[in-house]
Amino acid sequence: MAEREIPWWRSGVVLQVYPRSFADSDGDGIGDLPGVTGRLDHLEDLGVDAVWLSPFYRSPMADFGYDVSDHTDVDPIFGELADADALIEAAHARGLRVIFDWVPNHTSDRHAWFLASRSSRDDPQRDWYVWRDPGPGGAPPNNWTSAFSLHGEASSWTLDEHTGQSYLHSFLPEQPDLNWDEPAVVGAMHATLRFWLDRGVDGFRIDVAHAIGKDPELGDNEPGRRHDQDWPTVHTRLRAIRGVLDGYEGDRMAVGEVYLLDQGALAPYVSVGDELHLAHNFVFLNLPWSATGFRATVDEFERLAGPDAWPAWCLGNHDHPRIASRYGPGPARVAAMLLLTLRGTPFLFQGDELGLTDVEIPPDRVVDVDGRDPERSPIPWEPPSRAGPGAGFTTGEPWLPITPDAERVAASVQAGDPESMLTLHRKLLSLRRATPALTEGSYRGLEAGEDIYAYERGGEVIVALNFAPEPRAVGASGEGTLLLSTRPVAREGMEVDLATLVLEADEGVIVAVSRVRCP
Ligand code: GLC
């Protein structure tokens, strides 16, 4: 029997591109699809296998594209449909897969479906959204609250004077929730998947995937039990979505944003093998910087997820403060090694490969409702001394301020520096690609010294990471050749004994094992 080929989404690495902030091709200060196509060299040189694009569909931009008003067209800010086709084609020509962001839980309040639904209680599309009579005195129908809490908790219900009923919105009032209990909604949303699958997209990141199953009785959330998400029906719905993808050739993939901070609740989404292919792990993303914490989380997921499950590790995205700001610049290099050597599919957020930090946004430039502008600051491609204040991102005025550090951290500057964060990422990705033990190999956590997280991959490679800001002994058993270090002063090529090796502050190493001593 021929050996089963490993699907790309298990062996590959995915870079998330936030199109508004990646590259602007027309000088309006906002990144766009031709901008992404024009910068595919960066992805290829970095060595990633796939790109996930945050939404670029038609949208009033109340939530910067996560409020979709037409799933099957490109917003003029980002280009036109032909630009999406051209991007897919150009990426494929380079062997890069393309994943689009699919937002099934809600639409924009300007979507034709919602306009019809809100027009009257008798409209045939009334039940496409969740409408209820308000409680006494116009009170919300239940205690569910909306996810954006920067400015305090708010009900997820808005009363619509026109028909005297309230509609549900798990996010902004401009993002009414679709009613997945209504079969016509399921059919219409599946059709939007097919629209892009037919155009050649390799898969989807599913926005708030756990939220498309809710208690149909709309029961109040209780301590320890939420009724507005992760309801058992979610699994049936994800299986049907998987069915749509499986109807296409070529390993189409679905990765869910399953924002559940409990790995026991997360595991069922990927364990059986007929729902999501992958689910982002937000327990991992939210960890404080500690060797024991990361080890315990990885070990717990390995234990909870079934043999068919495959982990998807990420430490950043467009909703969270940047890695280098949360953990610091030294740990950010260790975090890169961790992400790219664990068993599972790594997801990188654009700019983390440059070690970008959050950018301070002056109050008069704040645009996001939930405080997420700092991590969405545009990519500095060129030093401003060469490319002007737009740093190669734009020739116009950028929609968010660009890092004041652009001169030093610009991609083109880092590309020529053997000690830069970008060079470290390129080396990690190329080593990963050349080392099957780092992709398909088994994972085994090792006994190690204080502040060290050490693990073995496929019996061939040991990774040892120092989480402390000072030197620490690895204290694990094994000998071999040091392939890569996160420290600028590399000790690459040295023979090392992990029992006596001392790592520098914030140093991680990858060692090709010549001998593992039995404990
Ligand atoms: C997801 C997205 C976030 C968006 C929200 C509502 O969490 O990542 O950016 O605001 O869903 O669509």
Side-chain angles (χ1 to χ4, degrees), residues 16 18 52 54-55 62-68 101-106 147-148 170-172 175 205-210 257 259 282 317-320 368-370 372 376:
Q16 178 192 355
Y18 192 73
W52 145 32
S54 281
D63 189 17
F64 296 108
Y66 285 94
D67 49 324
V68 179
D101 210 315
W102 187 60
V103 189
N105 178 69
H106 46 268
F148 297 138
S170 298
F171 296 89
L172 294 172
Q175 295 167 292
R205 177 263 191 181
I206 305 186
D207 191 67
V208 287
H210 56 300
E257 181 203 24
Y259 203 96
F282 289 94
N317 71 20
H318 62 294
D319 296 329
H320 295 271
D368 180 49
V369 287
D370 208 32
R372 298 166 296 181
R376 297 176 178 178

Side-chain angles (χ1 to χ4, degrees), residues 150-351:
L150 184 68
H151 303 294
E153 243 180 34
S155 168
S156 34
W157 295 92
T158 289
L159 180 64
D160 187 43
E161 302 288 347
H162 177 60
T163 57
Q165 285 194 310
S166 300
Y167 66 90
L168 176 69
H169 51 88
S170 298
F171 296 89
L172 294 172
E174 291 87 351
Q175 295 167 292
D177 280 28
L178 283 163
N179 175 15
W180 277 77
D181 292 318
E182 165 60 48
V185 165
V186 178
M189 285 306 288
H190 285 188
T192 66
L193 289 173
R194 290 201 187 88
F195 177 86
W196 293 110
L197 289 165
D198 288 338
R199 301 183 98 88
V201 79
D202 297 287
F204 300 95
R205 177 263 191 181
I206 305 186
D207 191 67
V208 287
H210 56 300
I212 61 170
K214 300 179 176 75
D215 174 7
E217 308 292 324
L218 304 180
D220 277 344
N221 283 331
E222 310 157 72
R225 176 102 215 248
R226 287 186 62 163
H227 289 246
D228 58 349
Q229 60 177 36
D230 192 32
W231 205 253
T233 45
V234 72
H235 297 288
T236 327
R237 288 170 192 162
L238 291 173
R239 272 198 290 278
I241 289 163
R242 173 67 172 259
V244 174
L245 268 66
D246 285 349
Y248 285 78
E249 297 280 307
D251 279 335
R252 313 290 174 115
M253 180 274 273
V255 53
E257 181 203 24
V258 182
Y259 203 96
L260 297 172
L261 298 180
D262 166 2
Q263 298 197 106
L266 173 65
Y269 284 76
V270 287
S271 288
V272 182
D274 65 352
E275 295 185 32
L276 295 169
H277 297 82
L278 300 170
H280 287 147
N281 189 322
F282 289 94
V283 176
F284 185 84
L285 185 145
N286 281 295
L287 286 172
W289 190 244
S290 109
T292 45
F294 274 94
R295 172 163 185 180
T297 299
V298 172
D299 288 358
E300 183 187 62
F301 189 79
E302 292 276 341
R303 211 170 41 247
L304 288 169
D308 289 326
W310 190 250
W313 305 115
C314 58
L315 284 171
N317 71 20
H318 62 294
D319 296 329
H320 295 271
R322 283 202 177 267
I323 299 172
S325 293
R326 295 204 316 267
Y327 298 143
R333 295 173 72 96
V334 180
M337 184 172 276
L338 170 73
L339 263 182
L340 291 165
T341 58
L342 280 176
R343 177 178 169 273
T345 302
F347 283 74
L348 305 174
F349 175 49
Q350 69 175 43

Side-chain angles (χ1 to χ4, degrees), residues 9 70 88 132 142 427:
W9 50 267
D70 183 348
I88 296 176
R132 283 295 184 281
N142 66 18
K427 284 187 181 172

